[in-house]
Amino acid sequence: SVNPDLASERQTASFCVEQLTALLDGGAEQTRIRRAVVDAIESDPVFSRENQYFQTQNERYEAAVKKAVHLQKKMHEMGWTENGPEYKYIYRALSGDVAFLLHRVFMRSISVLGSDKQIAKWIPLATQHKLIGSYAQTELGHGTYLQGLETTAVFDTATQEFILNTPKISAMKWWPGDMGRSATHTVVFAQLYIHGKCYGIHPFIVQIRSLQDHSLCPGVTAGDIGPKMNFEHIDNGYLLLKNVRVPRENMLSKFCEVQPDGTYIRQGSQKINYFTMTTVRISLISDEILTPLMKACTIAIRYSVVRRQSKLKPGEQEAKILDYQTQQEKLLPQLAAAFAFHFVNDYLQDLFNRGYREIQRKNFDMLPELHALSSGFKAVITQHCTAAVEICLRACGGHGYSLLSGLPSLYTNILASCIYEGENTILLLQTARFLIKCFMAASAGQPVPPSVTYLAAVKPGKCPAKNKLDFLSPDIYSEAYQHVAVRLISSTAAKLQDLIQSGVKKHDAWNQCTVQLVQAAKAHCHYITVKNFAETVEKLETKAGIQKIMKHLCDLFALHGIFSNTGAFLHDGYTSAAQMDMVTASYLDLLAVIRKDAVPLVDAFDFTDKSLNSALGSYDGQVYQRLYEWAQKSPTNQMSPAYERYLKPLLHNTLSKL
Amino acid sequence: SVNPDLASERQTASFCVEQLTALLDGGAEQTRIRRAVVDAIESDPVFSRENQYFQTQNERYEAAVKKAVHLQKKMHEMGWTENGPEYKYIYRALSGDVAFLLHRVFMRSISVLGSDKQIAKWIPLATQHKLIGSYAQTELGHGTYLQGLETTAVFDTATQEFILNTPKISAMKWWPGDMGRSATHTVVFAQLYIHGKCYGIHPFIVQIRSLQDHSLCPGVTAGDIGPKMNFEHIDNGYLLLKNVRVPRENMLSKFCEVQPDGTYIRQGSQKINYFTMTTVRISLISDEILTPLMKACTIAIRYSVVRRQSKLKPGEQEAKILDYQTQQEKLLPQLAAAFAFHFVNDYLQDLFNRGYREIQRKNFDMLPELHALSSGFKAVITQHCTAAVEICLRACGGHGYSLLSGLPSLYTNILASCIYEGENTILLLQTARFLIKCFMAASAGQPVPPSVTYLAAVKPGKCPAKNKLDFLSPDIYSEAYQHVAVRLISSTAAKLQDLIQSGVKKHDAWNQCTVQLVQAAKAHCHYITVKNFAETVEKLETKAGIQKIMKHLCDLFALHGIFSNTGAFLHDGYTSAAQMDMVTASYLDLLAVIRKDAVPLVDAFDFTDKSLNSALGSYDGQVYQRLYEWAQKSPTNQMSPAYERYLKPLLHNTLSKL
């Protein structure tokens, strides 16, 4: 039975929930396929995550390996293939709680970086799981700065082998997933030396464990790096190599080859490889970032209409906490952000598909723009969504702090996305470098890529809004965002030039501008997100109330951004204080409007109870009952030796009844 | 041997580290006593936290109980008493990793709420640990809103007993520490009913477990609420009562008594009790909030001078990451905040001590101000410091995400402080209510408490700063903060009045202003923090470089607050855009200045390696070595059954050598 406080929220939806779900999935047929995959996975007890919050790191690892092995069988059974329409829903249905993800990266790196011969040898072995692969790039001492990796691979012409070594402790491979305990093979990135000359970083296939008994190979020291904030199911590992020899054929050689006599040959273009790196940042947005945020919104919003606390009106029943303006102000902007980033992700996917087609035609013109967008958006979206999940967690008070709410693990999981696949600050500075370059070009009348043409059309002006309703016009707020982006980029470019002209060295000047460059890059991405959201809404069908509610969310996202960052808009007087008060008024009005549809909106995300795995967020809203039943199963409710050992001796001389 | 990259940072300190430590401790004698306590605790292997990051919740609980029992012995051995000078350092030295903290709250509640007879009976039993106490207030359905608690206590004149019940699931006690597994007794808060009439919430001593065999008493259902983000060592519990009878003498009756015939008598003043609740919020700032932030700063800053990544100048060695402006901008404001809040905590402690003396003289005039300050500062400091610890964690990249860095547990620990002892949003709204009331009074020419007299002296004006150096004047920035606080309080008061005058009901109007009321309350606390920091710096002795570096930190704290919230200062033109650019310039300049003293500043916090418990933050800076050694001890490096069960069958048909 559904909690009546939740049920009543569903009766007043202003739009058709099922149609919004289809919109998010990209069509009703996609919804059908996704649900079939979710059903198949969730009805299989091997994939259950029910005990997840009670398990140790060791137990989580074992379960993840079990699931990974079982998944092969399942896919065969269900007729799912890697190229089928179901494939992309599997990982989401498993909530990522499965091993051998790096095995896929191992395979991809061979496919992309390997010669045809290498592909022909290794890919079938990997596909049939006759080995378990990993990908060993990051070292203890180097993450972001790949050129600084210290592992060495010295070519020995006598034996036709590369000799791999970890010359010092900071060169130890550190973090590679599946490597701590599972992998038999890995792709090691190392500085290639031939005849004493360094040729930079290259990838080598290295066997690290025996295929007979799984013992470490000679010269290999490897293990698990221990406890982390999350990803307990993954055996992130370390790897030390001491004179480990691999045959010449094990250097992945699509782009570079070492010939038997030690001659180094670079062949083909590495640009496509560079492109692969940037696509990874885009590909993770959907499953790793948006799904956790949507889950967190679902949990926090459902809980907020079931939780009643204190009174809004004297003499009445206690109020649902979502009826408090402060609670709306915490949660509804996060919900709006989930949609904003969902739609900008569609935009980025389209752009990257287009880029991929161009590159196949050997046209690499789009690369700098794609790189800048993927870097900036990866950083902005991960940062924004991580903060959003944390807000959802805190908005649920004490119950949000219990692992059983599901929110702590969503938070600690999404937090990692700010760090992996490029540290966010570094990425934003790469975007900023592109923006400064484009701004200079645009100022000089040169052509610039489509996403930054707005830099050429700088007009001073003032915001034309005359009343609070004007701020519900996408033109008004999109232009305000555009104005801020241009101002931040141009003023930082000017500061940079001034410093250089005053004699500061170029790299020092750059460093002295980085705090502002980061702001500029964020403003650029924020502008594109708002503009894209507004354009998407315009194109939606008007029926079933979808366009109307999406318009409200778009307005809310845009006005929340202004309200939270008023200084950027007030600074040069583009927006006046009176206009800012209109923004505030419109923004607060919108909260009350969207609050009415909050539950139907999260229902449209269409998460099953099993996928939420939350005592607070279930579809029926029976929060307290679930918390109690779940807590009783905790291992902390088994007998503890602490009583016999410490409490009994302490209490032994007390009277029987006080 | 100290990592040379860390050692070199200590050679250029602009001030005497030992003198700053003494300043923070409140004198060199205090430093001596604190160090003696830390030495005694850390040299005792029972108190070791070495394996903490590897332990399960069950293991953590057992260790915490062991430590609590051992601590009694230790205190006796060392001659430490509850009234001695060492006492306040014990909890900090244990890093809070000990059981029976609620036993103290149990005792305090009896001391404060109990009659002399009750105190005479229970306090000696509790002191000698002949029972283990807990404190059962929060329920599944009610935290913040105490009046809504649902547990009932019905007086039975026939038997002279109270009959306690949990009438529905939401009434179950939930969260009380030490109650899940340890406690034999607890103070239960319940709605008192006599002859069918409800008299509101009252406290009752209830035995929940047998003193003979620790089994649950008849009618009692209790257990552990399961896994949480942190506090694994605490057995937060649940409690269901079914017709549990306690004698009439068990209702704590300093302020209210039920006579044998059921006559209810209220006696004495409850105001002192109200005061006790507010002091708890202040008392937790030092150990629960500032210590974790100072530890996080120590870890992140030491790591940032040892970690080298990428190049600042082409051709040079890789740079220490603290030399990047963006890294300075992440960490140094957090360091400044640690000092700002340390000093405002001193101010609050003084104020509360004064308040306590007044109250003992039956003068309750200070109570509303003290309540407003304790609520607002609890919220502002916990929120600010939680965000700060998260920034420190993220600033350490992947290594910060490892539990071995110590940062994840500092973060998940401090995060709870935003929720417990009053949810922050609710607390800020209580402060706001006080501010609005005082603003109205001040506007009407009535006297107001000292901390808000500035509300009476509203002057419009403009910021007089003419160049960036002017913004290093405490008068300039303190006045800017004051101006913003007054503006936010007065404009929200005006909005509230407008709404009410336009016919909106009072409670609706209040709700519609709450987002802005929260902003106003924060601005008030921020202003007091800045003003107090500036006044503290002024009073410091000029010798040993202490005043100078503290002045820099005060400036940084103030300017960071403006830089991060420019809109509040620009809104009504008090600060112009040109002045805001001066703020930015001065702020960025300060980062480079303070960066030089960053390591000596965190050294002055004087944390031992054992108390930091971090692979990144040790005094010698041997980060990579420590991570590696520590990871090897992880239980995840023991043999897993996953190999025999899943990997071996998978790999069994592979060739021995590929």
Side-chain angles (χ1 to χ4, degrees), chain B residues 15-189:
Chain B
F15 64 94
C16 171
V17 171
E18 185 67 15
Q19 287 204 21
L20 180 54
T21 300
L23 175 68
L24 290 168
D25 279 325
E29 174 62 9
Q30 291 297 313
T31 301
R32 195 193 57 73
I33 297 170
R34 177 178 55 75
R35 285 181 181 157
V37 171
V38 169
D39 278 354
I41 297 279
E42 293 188 352
S43 61
D44 188 328
V46 174
F47 296 122
S48 168
R49 290 161 59 229
E50 205 187 330
N51 293 315
Q52 177 177 316
Y53 304 128
F54 301 140
Q55 289 175 326
T56 65
Q57 199 181 350
N58 270 333
E59 289 163 346
R60 290 290 303 280
Y61 164 71
E62 192 188 329
V65 170
K66 183 179 181 180
K67 288 179 193 183
V69 172
H70 187 68
L71 181 60
Q72 304 308 315
K73 216 178 101 189
K74 192 83 188 178
M75 286 182 65
H76 183 75
E77 211 178 281
M78 300 297 297
W80 299 338
T81 65
E82 302 218 354
N83 303 314
E86 296 89 359
Y87 193 69
K88 66 172 170 174
Y89 298 119
I90 297 174
Y91 180 80
R92 178 176 155 162
L94 291 164
S95 295
D97 194 28
V98 61
F100 303 167
L101 297 176
L102 269 286
H103 185 71
R104 288 177 210 285
V105 179
F106 172 83
M107 288 173 71
R108 192 167 58 215
S109 65
I110 293 171
S111 306
V112 174
L113 305 175
S115 65
D116 292 345
K117 205 172 153 193
Q118 288 169 326
I119 293 172
K121 173 180 176 182
W122 294 99
I123 296 300
L125 290 167
T127 306
Q128 297 160 56
H129 282 90
K130 293 197 169 182
L131 58 81
I132 299 162
S134 176
Y135 180 86
Q137 179 178 297
T138 302
E139 296 176 355
L140 256 177
H142 285 92
T144 308
Y145 185 63
L146 292 184
Q147 294 171 54
L149 292 175
E150 296 174 294
T151 302
T152 57
V154 176
F155 185 60
D156 178 357
T157 28
T159 61
Q160 293 290 299
E161 291 171 319
F162 295 102
I163 311 166
L164 282 95
N165 270 294
T166 303
K168 49 200 274 208
I169 189 158
S170 57
M172 195 183 314
K173 295 296 174 187
W174 197 266
W175 278 112
D178 294 330
M179 195 175 76
R181 314 176 82 167
S182 299
T184 61
H185 288 67
T186 188
V187 172
V188 171
F189 284 79

Side-chain angles (χ1 to χ4, degrees), chain A residues 2-7 9 299-309 318-322 595 599 615-616 618-624, chain B residues 141:
Chain A
V2 176
N3 186 320
D5 280 340
L6 184 52
E9 298 281 336
I299 295 167
I301 286 174
R302 285 185 184 159
Y303 175 69
S304 296
V305 298
V306 162
R307 176 75 169 183
R308 288 179 176 272
Q309 198 79 178
E318 289 184 67
K320 293 177 173 182
I321 59 175
L322 196 58
R595 182 257 169 271
V599 168
L616 307 191
S618 62
Y619 189 81
D620 68 6
Q622 298 294 0
V623 168
Y624 300 138

Side-chain angles (χ1 to χ4, degrees), chain A residues 62 181 390 411-412 645, chain B residues 62 390 401 411 638 645:
Chain A
E62 193 188 331
R181 315 175 82 167
E390 199 205 23
Y411 172 72
T412 52
R645 283 186 199 157
Chain B
E62 192 188 329
E390 199 205 25
Y401 191 78
Y411 171 72
Q638 290 153 12
R645 285 187 198 155

Side-chain angles (χ1 to χ4, degrees), chain A residues 314-347:
Chain A
E316 285 198 356
Q317 192 187 6
E318 289 184 67
K320 293 177 173 182
I321 59 175
L322 196 58
D323 287 328
Y324 293 97
Q325 191 189 49
T326 46
Q327 188 77 353
Q328 293 166 12
E329 213 265 331
K330 288 175 192 176
L331 298 180
L332 302 183
Q334 317 319 324
L335 182 60
F339 284 93
F341 293 131
H342 173 85
F343 292 125
V344 93
N345 183 46
D346 284 350
Y347 158 79

